[in-house]
Amino acid sequence: MKTLWFIITAAAFLPVNANACTVCSTETGQQVRDGIVGDKLPIGVIATIAPWAAIAVISAAGLVLKGEKEPKIQ
Amino acid sequence: MNTKPLTVAGVALGIGMGGFADGIVFHQLLQLHNMLTGQIPKTSIANIEVNMFWDGLFHSFTWLTTLAGIGLLYRAGRKQDVPWSGRVLSGGMILGWGLFNFVEGLIDHHLLHAHHVVERLGVSIYDYLFLASGILLILVGWAMIRSGRAIETNKSKSREFQHA
């Protein structure tokens, strides 16, 4: 389960890198480089990633804290 | 009997699909807000493009989370000791949706002010209703998971009794 959460988290960050290249080649990317909207980009990163990171942490903590309490059939 | 794999799969699916519901309904169909309209209002083509880019990134996350949920559901389905309970699965999905609404609402609407449910109003009653919907869905989902577990445990005990 821990490995799976690691994969989910790692995979979640892939689009950030992939789209960073795409946006730089567009007209918007040019404006970002010119500083028109560049100062607003960090909040985009935080706004997109932070909720998912928080959910992943809450879920992982819930799994770890709760543990296995199900009755087992012999 | 082990309901945890099904619960986890349901929660992952609920988080992903809750995100899709938000993006499709609020961002695209109703166009009440986009990912960064609290910081970058849709007053120019460039601003609309930036918002569209971050909407795309947001939907990438929801897609990946849903994909993870499908993978987890597949794994759960292959385990012999996992009961195929619709109540546990749908409870997990509802809980996941609530978790998405609460965490996303808290961080993006209230802490970062990246966007608000109805952007032209800023922080409004709709943002608090969004948070409340998250809490309500978490509680309903949690109750469904618990009752699903209880039903499956009783079924399992009943089968044991019949075999004995």
Side-chain angles (χ1 to χ4, degrees):
Chain A
M1 187 54 71
K2 282 176 186 170
T3 311
L4 197 69
W5 273 111
F6 173 76
I7 293 167
I8 292 167
T9 311
F13 281 89
L14 284 176
V16 178
N17 297 321
N19 281 302
C21 303
T22 311
V23 77
C24 286
S25 62
T26 63
E27 188 185 348
T28 309
Q30 183 61 48
Q31 285 162 332
V32 169
R33 285 196 295 279
D34 292 345
I36 297 169
V37 291
D39 59 326
K40 299 293 185 189
L41 277 181
I43 199 166
V45 178
I46 298 165
T48 310
I49 293 171
W52 299 96
I55 288 169
V57 169
I58 291 167
S59 306
L63 286 173
V64 171
L65 291 173
K66 188 158 173 33
E68 183 63 68
K69 289 180 181 173
E70 301 291 338
K72 285 189 166 37
I73 298 169
Q74 298 300 319
Chain B
M1 191 198 65
N2 180 15
T3 55
K4 200 164 80 173
L6 197 58
T7 307
V8 174
V11 170
L13 283 169
I15 293 168
M17 291 182 73
F20 273 127
D22 182 300
I24 292 166
V25 175
F26 293 130
H27 295 214
Q28 294 174 325
L29 294 178
L30 300 177
Q31 299 187 12
L32 290 173
H33 65 252
N34 292 93
M35 199 62 198
L36 296 182
T37 42
Q39 302 288 327
I40 306 175
K42 292 191 289 181
T43 49
S44 68
I45 295 293
N47 284 8
I48 291 169
E49 283 184 359
V50 172
N51 272 291
M52 196 180 283
F53 166 74
W54 288 105
D55 279 359
L57 209 53
F58 167 70
H59 280 124
S60 303
F61 277 73
T62 60
W63 190 87
L64 284 169
T65 311
T66 306
L67 181 69
I70 293 168
L72 287 164
L73 186 61
Y74 176 76
R75 265 173 48 141
R78 289 172 64 88
K79 289 184 177 171
Q80 293 291 325
D81 62 337
V82 176
W84 208 233
S85 163
R87 192 179 288 236
V88 171
L89 178 64
S90 48
M93 289 173 75
I94 290 169
L95 192 150
W97 191 353
L99 196 60
F100 170 84
N101 279 11
F102 184 75
V103 173
E104 198 271 339
L106 190 67
I107 293 176
D108 285 346
H109 302 186
H110 295 277
L111 296 178
L112 295 175
H113 296 283
H115 60 255
H116 308 96
V117 175
V118 183
E119 198 60 77
R120 62 189 170 79
L121 300 176
V123 178
S124 68
I125 182 73
Y126 299 108
D127 293 287
Y128 291 103
L129 286 173
F130 192 75
L131 276 188
S133 77
I135 294 168
L136 184 68
L137 289 169
I138 288 170
L139 293 174
V140 170
W142 183 252
M144 283 178 70
I145 292 166
R146 280 180 69 90
S147 81
R149 271 184 195 160
I151 289 168
E152 294 304 324
T153 305
N154 285 340
K155 275 187 194 170
S156 167
K157 279 179 182 169
S158 166
R159 275 195 296 271
E160 270 185 86
F161 182 73
Q162 283 171 353
H163 284 292

